Amino acid sequence: MAEPRLIRGFALFDGFLDRPAQEAMVADLRGVLAAAPLVRPETPRGQKMSVRMSACGDFGWVSDRRGYRYEPRHPSGVAWPPIPQSVLRVWQAVSGCDRLPECCLVNWYGEGARMGLHQDRDEADFAAPVVSVSLGDEGLFRMGNTGRGGSTESVWLRSGDVVVMGGEARLRHHGVDRIRFGSSTLLPNGGRINLTLRVVTPA
DNA sequence: TAGTATCA
DNA sequence: TAAA
């Protein structure tokens, strides 16, 4: 496995998945989204997010007027489908974690979608890293600091890239400023899919 | 503060 | 809110 590039403690595995592996993963995700359709969540303040979300695994991350939390079911009431093996293999290759991910959040960025700087801090065990997989259009990923404020660095993530957020970077702020809509041919309808794999429950 | 507007 |  190629060495990752370290940016603010984030490990970027550039081109980790080749095109056939990306296509196989997208085929698996089509099954996930058929069982657990994408929804557009709102923040606790009632503002709609631009990203559309679903999940697979034991838990999905959800946001609504009641707050941020992990739930064992899709808002429709159905259980989240299992995490595809193609996705679990990425976790096993790069996470360095002996636990399996309990949540695979599926974020779909359409034209103009963004994700403001935030921390992943709704999990009970920060010793486990967060693993992010990019599929489809390129996205401008921004990385900040654990505390608020300070300088940030940005990098364009391309289809097949994998980022591991662990150790000192586990609680760093991060977000997506922009999508180059139509820059990839992977997804027939365009857009960017980002998977984030997380351990949710206490060690 | 997982959003958004607005500024230099 | 601050950064870009």
Side-chain angles (χ1 to χ4, degrees), chain A residues 57-62 64 66 69-75 80:
Chain A
D58 295 337
F59 300 94
W61 184 87
V62 300
D64 58 25
R66 295 167 45 205
R69 63 198 179 277
Y70 284 96
E71 288 279 3
R73 295 182 175 276
H74 186 275
W80 302 105

Side-chain angles (χ1 to χ4, degrees), chain A residues 115-195:
Chain A
M115 176 80 73
L117 276 184
H118 67 279
Q119 289 176 297
D120 288 16
R121 60 174 188 187
D122 299 317
E123 303 76 31
D125 181 8
F126 296 140
V130 174
V131 173
S132 157
V133 181
S134 294
L135 296 166
D137 289 341
E138 296 166 28
L140 184 58
F141 184 61
R142 187 150 137 219
M143 295 155 282
N145 307 287
T146 300
R148 74 199 292 282
S151 66
T152 63
E153 289 180 67
S154 298
V155 62
W156 281 98
L157 295 179
R158 293 178 298 178
S159 195
D161 289 352
V162 172
V163 177
V164 180
M165 301 178 265
E168 63 99 347
R170 175 64 180 75
L171 290 170
R172 278 188 189 261
H173 287 77
H174 55 278
V176 175
D177 283 339
R178 192 154 85 81
I179 297 298
R180 280 181 178 143
F181 192 81
S183 58
S184 165
T185 57
L186 184 70
L187 305 175
N189 295 321
R192 171 174 186 263
I193 289 175
N194 183 70
L195 307 177

Side-chain angles (χ1 to χ4, degrees), chain A residues 37-55 60-69 74-75 80 105-109 113-115:
Chain A
L38 291 167
V39 299
R40 192 138 87 101
E42 53 187 302
T43 67
R45 291 176 158 179
Q47 302 161 114
K48 286 284 191 188
M49 295 174 65
S50 55
V51 170
R52 295 209 251 179
M53 292 189 178
S54 184
W61 184 87
V62 300
S63 175
D64 58 25
R65 272 158 282 190
R66 295 167 45 205
Y68 305 145
R69 63 198 179 277
H74 186 275
W80 302 105
L105 189 62
V106 181
N107 287 337
W108 184 77
Y109 294 75
R114 302 172 289 175
M115 176 80 73

